[in-house]
Amino acid sequence: MSTDLPAWSKVEEIKRQSQFLRGQIAQELAQPTAHFDEATANLLKQHGIYQQDDRDRRGQKGPEGQPQDRAWMMMVRVKVPGGRLTAGQWLTLSELADRFGNRTLRITNRQDVQLHGVLKQHLPALMKALHQVGLTTLGACGDVVRNVVACSAPVPDGGIRDQLYQQAQQVTAHFLPRSRAYQEIWHGTGQATDRPPVPFPQVSQEEEPLYGTNYLPRKFKIGFGLPEDNCVDIYTNDLGFLAVVEGGQIRGYEVLVGGSLGMSPADKTTFAALAQPLAFIRPEQILPVAEAVVKLFRDHGNRANRRRARLKYLIADWGLQRFRQEVERYYGQPLPTPKNISVTGLEHHLGWRRQQNGGWFYGLYVENGRVADRQTGRLKSALEYICQQFGPGIRLTPMMDLLITDLASEDRPKVEAIFRQHGVRLSEEVSLVRQYSGACVALPTCGLAITESERALPGILDELEPELARLGLEGLPLAVRMTGCPNGCGRPYNAEIGLVGRAKDKYALYLGGSPLGNRLGFLYEPMIPRPEIVSLLSSLLEVFVRHRSDSECFGDFCFRIGPEALRRLASNGQDR
Ligand code: SRM
Ligand code: SF4
C-alpha cells in the first residue's frame, strides 16, 4: 500500500481501528439504545447494515410539544449474487420483513433484497434467520467488492447465462471479506475481542490477505453481461465482463473498467462515467485480472477524499494507458487489447417465456422493486402464495423485477389467477414506459435523499402515459429513471430521461442517454419544479414526433439534436 498519503479520511481511521470490522458493534448491540454511535454505524455498513431514521417523522413533537429523538431504524441489504433465490429463501425474507421490518421487501437494481425499518434490537435475530437459510449481508455494502450482477433469466441460450452465473459466484467467493468478525457478531460463533488496532498501514496476511486492514478505498462493483442483452447495465460497473459468444461457446470477455455514476455537483472534480474497454481476455483469466484491478484500486485509490475514491478517478488522473500498464504490472504480463465490442440489445425478460430446460418462467413487473401489500394490490401475499403452491425459483433482475421460474405449462393460468385474485397487475397490462422506468428508494428511508423518488415516479408516469397516448407514442419503449439526489443510484445519467433530485421538490433533467445504457446523457435543465416535469417532457416529445427520423428512439434523437437545438425547437413549438 502507498505510505505517502497525508490525511486519510475519517472512514479510513474507523476501518483501521476496527480490528477487521469488529469495532464496538457487539458491545453496542448489547446496550438498550435505539441506535449506534456514528463510528459504529459507519462500520455497520461493512456488514450490510445502514443506520437510518424515518424521515417522515423527523421534527415531530411529542404529546406535550417536546422535541422527539429521531425514529431510528436499520436498512439490511441481503446480497444475492447473480440474483438467484429459492422459494424457501423468498418466503423467509417475506416473513422477516413482517416480523422485523416495515412489511415490505425492496428488490434493488443490483439484484439484492433490502429490508427497511428494522429496529436495532431485532438485528441479531434477523441476521441469524438469514444465515439459517444460507443468505448473507456480508459484502452487500461497504468498501469491498459488492454484489456481483449477472443476467438471471433462464432463457434458452445453450447455458451461456448459467456460465456467467457461475463466474459471478466464483468472483463473489474470491472477494468475500475473510475476517471472522461477521460470524462472531451475527452468528454467535465466537467472542468479539478487544484486540488493539493493527498498526497502519499494513496488509494482514492473517485476517484479510487481499483487502488488508483498510479494505478498499470505496465500494467496488463488478458485473457480467452479454452484448445482445445489457440488462445488467454493464457500463455502470467499476469492472465489467462482456461475454462474446461464438458458435454457442463463450470465446472471451471484453473487460470494461471505470464505470460509476455518483457525483457531487458542488465538486466539479467529480463526474459520472461509463466503463471503457481495457482488454479482451479468456475465461480463465477472469479471476487474476479482476484481482489485479482490485489490488491496484486498493493500493492507489484515493483514501483521503471519499468523493473522489472510485476507480474512475484513478483512470481519469492517470489516463487509460498508464492505468493499463499498472494493471499489467499487477497481473504479471501484458493484456490482450480490447476488441471494442459494443452492446446491441437489452431485454427486460417480462411476461411468459420458455426456459432453457423446457419449462416456463414469468417475468413480473415490480414497480420500483417494492414488494408490498397495498390497497391497490397485494403483491407480497401473492408471491408468498405462489412460492408455497409451486416452489418455483425466484430470480431478481437489475431492472428491479422478479422472475418466477421452473413452472409447468399447466401452472400458467393458475399463476395468473393468483395475481388477479390479489389485485396485482400482470406485466402485459403495464405500459411500456412504466416497464422501462425506475426510481431509487429515496424518502423516507435514505439519509441522503433531497427529494422524493420511489414515491414520486408512479405519479409522474400516471401523467406521462396519457401524453404519450396523445402523441401516438404508447408503443415507445421509453425509460425515465429518477433519483432523490445526485448519487445516481437509479442510474439516471445513462437513461433516455434522467430526473435527479437537486432541491426540495426540484429536479435536474438529463436527456440523450442511450436505451442500451452505453451513452451518458447531457444536462438539459438544472432545476425543474416537480409539477412542471410532465409538461416539459410533453413539449420535448412533441418536438421528437415532428423531427425524429424513422424508428429513432427518444434518447438517440435528443443526442443527435443536442441541447441547444432541442431548446430552440421546443420553444418554437410553444410559439405556434
Ligand atoms: Fe446507491 C448510497 C440505495 C444502487 C450510487 N445507495 C446509497 C444509500 C446506501 C444511502 C446511504 O449511503 O446512506 C441508499 C440506501 C437507500 C435506502 O433507504 O434503501 C442507496 N443504491 C441504492 C439502491 C437500493 C437503489 C435502488 O433503487 O435499487 C441500490 C442498491 C444496489 C445494491 O444492491 O447494491 C443502489 N447506488 C446504486 C447504483 C446503481 C448500480 O450500482 O448499478 C449507483 C450508481 C453507480 C455507482 O456506484 O456510482 C449508486 N449509492 C450510490 C452512491 C454514490 C457513490 C459514489 O461513488 O459517488 C451513494 C453515496 C455513497 O456511497 O456515499 C449511494
Ligand atoms: Fe438515496 Fe440518492 Fe441513492 Fe436515491 S440516489 S437512494 S436519494 S443516495
Side-chain angles (χ1 to χ4, degrees), residues 52 108 112 114 116 219 221 261 310 445 489 491:
Q52 304 181 319
T108 76
D112 287 326
Q114 288 186 179
H116 286 105
K219 59 182 88 171
K221 298 180 175 177
L261 300 180
R310 298 293 291 273
T445 55
C489 299
R491 300 195 288 256

Side-chain angles (χ1 to χ4, degrees), residues 514-534:
S514 158
L516 297 179
N518 57 353
R519 183 180 62 228
L520 288 175
F522 52 80
L523 178 63
Y524 183 74
E525 281 291 340
M527 206 70 94
I528 319 162
R530 184 165 136 198
E532 292 170 25
I533 288 173
V534 175

Side-chain angles (χ1 to χ4, degrees), residues 183-239:
Q183 288 84 344
E184 283 172 17
I185 295 168
W186 305 112
H187 306 159
T189 55
Q191 278 303 305
T193 53
D194 273 327
R195 283 177 289 171
V198 177
F200 164 81
Q202 177 180 310
V203 176
S204 162
Q205 295 303 316
E206 181 205 341
E207 288 235 40
E208 290 288 9
L210 194 139
Y211 287 125
T213 51
N214 276 61
Y215 294 79
L216 298 179
R218 204 68 161 87
K219 59 182 88 171
F220 192 91
K221 298 180 175 177
I222 301 182
F224 285 86
L226 289 162
E228 57 275 21
D229 179 9
N230 189 24
C231 65
V232 299
D233 229 338
I234 192 100
Y235 297 98
T236 59
N237 285 271
D238 294 277
L239 178 60

Side-chain angles (χ1 to χ4, degrees), residues 277-302:
L278 180 81
F280 187 82
I281 60 166
R282 295 185 310 278
E284 62 273 20
Q285 292 175 289
I286 288 175
L287 274 185
V289 168
E291 187 167 316
V293 176
V294 169
K295 282 182 169 168
L296 178 65
F297 179 53
R298 176 196 68 193
D299 296 349
H300 297 278
N302 189 333

Side-chain angles (χ1 to χ4, degrees), residues 407-434:
L407 296 166
S409 286
E410 57 271 25
D411 298 336
R412 291 180 49 176
K414 296 179 199 159
V415 167
E416 288 191 12
I418 293 168
F419 283 132
R420 287 192 200 291
Q421 281 152 15
H422 287 79
V424 175
R425 262 187 309 182
L426 296 178
S427 307
E428 297 79 351
E429 295 160 356
V430 175
S431 70
L432 277 184
V433 67
R434 208 171 283 264

Side-chain angles (χ1 to χ4, degrees), residues 248-271:
Q249 305 283 326
I250 297 179
R251 293 290 165 210
Y253 291 85
E254 183 88 337
V255 181
L256 306 164
V257 286
S260 67
L261 300 180
M263 61 158 148
S264 315
D267 180 348
K268 298 294 175 213
T269 67
T270 64
F271 49 83

